[in-house]
Amino acid sequence: MNKKPSFIQLVTKYVFSDSDTDSRRVNSYARVLSCAAQEGVGTGNAIARYIEERGGIEEIRAALAKNTKTPKQRAAEGRELADNAANITEIACEEIAQCATDNIGQYVVLVGKLNARGNVEVKHVVFEENVGERIAGKTVVSGALSNLYSNNEKAKKKAKGRAKAESAADKKNDAFNKQQHEATGEAQKLAA
């Protein structure tokens, strides 16, 4: 809680004080409700419509934060990364093949369980769009693509940090070597 919480922040914290909802989520709710209040959104259903029209709590929260991509943006960038990535493997099964003609190019999420042999036992397929009697799982697929983007960004930051540390170590080594070379030269002049 910040030093001077607003009424909305206090009420939101109070409403969720006895629940298992984590504080980050509660803070997101308070931010979204504060944003809605600042924009003059009414109450009840008007707030629900406001949140729905803007893509949900996380979309609004991300839009309010500086230098943060919205879940839709992360999913779009994850989709681009996936489109350009090399295949890890191909899985063929009758259930997916039956849906292939209408869903080519669509991303799917395979829900699987890792077994003792290190293989994945695929238990369920989630499609982006409705397929026959199956319910679409666009949010699940977007979440997986967003995860791909986030992991890629994390790896880039780690590599950048490693390169920066190596560069700093190289500079220190160069300075030390130069100092040693100068000291050796001085010693040779004195000996001569």
Side-chain angles (χ1 to χ4, degrees):
M1 188 69 72
N2 57 22
K3 292 179 182 177
K4 292 185 179 181
S6 69
F7 178 73
I8 290 175
Q9 289 172 319
L10 288 172
V11 170
T12 307
K13 294 275 184 181
Y14 178 73
V15 167
F16 290 97
S17 64
D18 287 341
S19 74
D20 291 337
T21 307
D22 68 292
S23 61
R24 181 180 178 272
R25 172 62 62 189
V26 173
N27 287 334
S28 293
Y29 294 160
R31 272 189 181 153
V32 169
L33 292 172
S34 295
C35 182
Q38 287 174 354
E39 291 188 22
V41 176
T43 59
N45 289 338
I47 293 174
R49 276 192 306 280
Y50 169 81
I51 292 170
E52 187 178 327
E53 287 169 0
R54 282 160 185 76
I57 301 268
E58 284 304 307
E59 288 286 330
I60 297 169
R61 185 201 59 77
L64 295 172
K66 293 179 183 174
N67 299 325
T68 302
K69 292 186 183 286
T70 67
K72 283 182 183 177
Q73 291 169 326
R74 289 193 309 266
E77 295 207 21
R79 182 179 298 277
E80 191 174 314
L81 286 168
D83 286 343
N84 296 320
N87 287 350
I88 296 172
T89 189
E90 272 190 37
I91 296 174
C93 76
E94 186 61 33
E95 186 177 350
I96 297 172
Q98 292 173 356
C99 306
T101 54
D102 294 335
N103 301 290
I104 293 173
Q106 206 185 107
Y107 278 97
V108 298
V109 171
L110 301 176
V111 178
K113 184 176 181 182
L114 188 63
N115 65 25
R117 294 183 309 271
N119 297 326
V120 177
E121 300 168 356
V122 178
K123 306 288 186 175
H124 181 67
V125 180
V126 181
F127 291 90
E128 277 186 278
E129 305 296 331
N130 289 337
V131 174
E133 297 295 316
R134 292 178 176 268
I135 299 171
K138 191 168 190 76
T139 304
V140 173
V141 175
S142 292
L145 293 169
S146 180
N147 179 273
L148 172 62
Y149 167 76
S150 297
N151 283 325
N152 185 63
E153 289 299 302
K154 189 176 182 179
K156 283 199 292 193
K157 280 184 184 177
K158 189 174 181 179
K160 189 176 180 181
R162 191 178 315 119
K164 191 175 180 179
E166 287 174 1
S167 176
D170 287 345
K171 285 180 183 178
K172 284 183 183 179
N173 286 338
D174 290 344
F176 177 75
N177 290 337
K178 183 178 177 184
Q179 192 177 36
Q180 288 297 343
H181 182 68
E182 289 172 356
T184 304
E186 291 294 320
Q188 288 175 349
K189 285 182 187 177
L190 290 174

